[in-house]
Amino acid sequence: MSQDDPDSGRVTARDPAGERAARLLGFLRDLARARRDPAAHRRVHWLADLPGDVYVETDAGPGDVLFSLPVIPPTPPAVLEEFDGWLALRHWYRLLRDLAEDAGDDEAVLGAGLLSWRPAHGPPVHDHLLATPVRIALDGRTERIDVVLTGPVALRDGELLGGRPGFRGAHRTAAAVRAGRGFGLHPTAGDVLRDWCDAALAGAVDYRDDWTPDEAGTPVPQVRLAPALILRPPSREPVARYHERMADLLPELPTGFARFVTGRSPQVMRVPERTPETVPELLEGLLVRGRRVLVAARSAPAAAALHAAHQLGLAALAALRRAAA
């Protein structure tokens, strides 16, 4: 008896290839989530510390400038009372210029809605609920630096609180964020965060519009607007959700998809210790033996560099796909 549905050609629960594909996708999902906490490796620059001379455009939308800094002269002012202001502006200018010229593999986001909580059980939480991607741009002519909002905004409560007792999610809030509310520092961000505080956790959550962060944390969860420019390793949660969604869709996919994903004996190889020069050789060796290879790179630039390193004939057979943010 065939283990595939001959009428639909879809993956069924009894299909061994489907079972292997489900296990592989589950493994990839868990691998994406089983990483070191990116909050431990992030760099946070609180907008509350911006000098008073810097204007922040709270109504900025997609493609708009959140704030700018002109070039700050390296020579301190002659007037002593102006020294502290010059020093603060110079600090922020050098910081943003360094990020504009080289942020490495880190992603830059505007964080809003700082959740600060030290629960009785489990690790503390001190991270932002909303994240809007930003681009730090250096004007080559004037040397002015612009912090530009790109988007879309993301609600990160599942990433921060998934699996914790008392967390029940805020589905209406999540739908509002997907519709574009809560972008950047728009007034709707406060509305979104208030709605989240009313719905997401079993107990009461206090919300404040303060820009100053709460560093200590309390046994009772608190949320402050506390906007910050954050540099952190790219989030792997979208990758985890992608694999989870693919596993959910398996019953609706042709059986050939499951067999293509898993092959006859799927193997997972992690090669962080190899130099970039040897990875293309490793992949080429597998491909010429007829193996199907799925590569998960640490970042989009790393994936593009690996794709470009292949010989022309093999590169033409490879597909480069970036996970959605």
Side-chain angles (χ1 to χ4, degrees):
M1 179 181 296
S2 171
Q3 293 177 309
D4 300 334
D5 185 341
D7 296 325
S8 66
R10 304 297 177 181
V11 177
T12 67
R14 297 176 298 168
D15 180 14
E19 294 176 359
R20 290 195 298 269
R23 288 197 300 269
L24 177 60
L25 290 170
F27 174 83
L28 293 173
R29 176 204 60 206
D30 295 341
L31 183 63
R33 287 176 172 156
R35 76 223 188 285
R36 291 184 297 175
D37 182 2
H41 306 279
R42 61 182 183 160
R43 291 172 282 168
V44 181
H45 307 286
W46 305 102
L47 298 197
D49 295 335
L50 278 171
D53 294 340
V54 179
Y55 174 72
V56 178
E57 180 55 75
T58 56
D59 286 330
D64 293 339
V65 175
L66 180 67
F67 66 91
S68 295
L69 277 178
V71 61
I72 308 299
T75 303
V79 181
L80 183 61
E81 288 77 8
E82 298 176 358
F83 179 81
D84 289 345
W86 168 85
L87 188 63
L89 287 169
R90 183 68 182 169
H91 165 74
W92 274 92
Y93 183 82
R94 290 305 312 168
L95 166 70
L96 294 176
R97 178 152 188 159
D98 290 344
L99 295 178
E101 293 175 343
D102 182 18
D105 292 329
D106 286 349
E107 61 181 7
V109 300
L110 170 68
L114 177 68
L115 173 61
S116 183
W117 184 25
R118 291 185 177 275
H121 305 287
V125 181
H126 194 261
D127 210 335
H128 288 85
L129 291 166
L130 297 175
T132 304
V134 302
R135 176 172 53 87
I136 303 173
L138 173 65
D139 186 287
R141 183 178 63 86
T142 66
E143 297 189 272
R144 184 191 71 248
I145 298 176
D146 296 328
V147 177
V148 183
L149 298 175
T150 58
V153 60
L155 178 63
R156 304 176 55 242
D157 57 347
E159 182 179 352
L160 301 179
L161 299 173
R164 291 188 181 235
F167 175 62
R168 57 194 181 195
H171 303 295
R172 188 178 68 177
T173 305
V177 171
R178 288 195 296 270
R181 291 177 63 82
F183 185 90
L185 293 178
H186 193 270
T188 58
D191 298 334
V192 163
L193 293 170
R194 290 186 189 91
D195 290 343
W196 186 92
C197 290
D198 291 338
L201 293 174
V205 182
D206 178 48
Y207 172 73
R208 302 179 186 179
D209 273 322
D210 295 351
W211 280 40
T212 304
D214 176 10
E215 296 287 357
T218 65
V220 178
Q222 296 181 350
V223 175
R224 296 190 180 195
L225 186 61
L229 181 63
I230 302 171
L231 278 294
R232 65 187 182 192
S235 171
R236 302 296 294 169
E237 182 61 22
V239 178
R241 290 198 301 266
Y242 177 83
H243 290 125
E244 194 167 54
R245 179 60 176 157
M246 291 299 296
D248 292 340
L249 290 175
L250 272 178
E252 304 174 16
L253 297 174
T255 55
F257 173 83
R259 294 194 178 96
F260 176 80
V261 169
T262 60
R264 298 180 62 182
S265 56
Q267 296 177 331
V268 177
M269 179 183 297
R270 188 169 182 269
V271 288
E273 70 281 0
R274 295 177 180 269
T275 62
E277 293 77 14
T278 63
V279 174
E281 297 177 1
L282 170 66
L283 295 181
E284 290 167 9
L286 293 171
L287 292 172
V288 297
R289 288 172 172 80
R291 304 299 299 270
R292 291 184 290 267
V293 183
L294 172 66
V295 179
R298 65 177 180 176
S299 64
L306 180 58
H307 187 269
H310 286 309
Q311 297 179 14
L312 183 60
L314 288 176
L317 300 176
L320 177 62
R321 179 64 180 267
R322 298 179 180 179

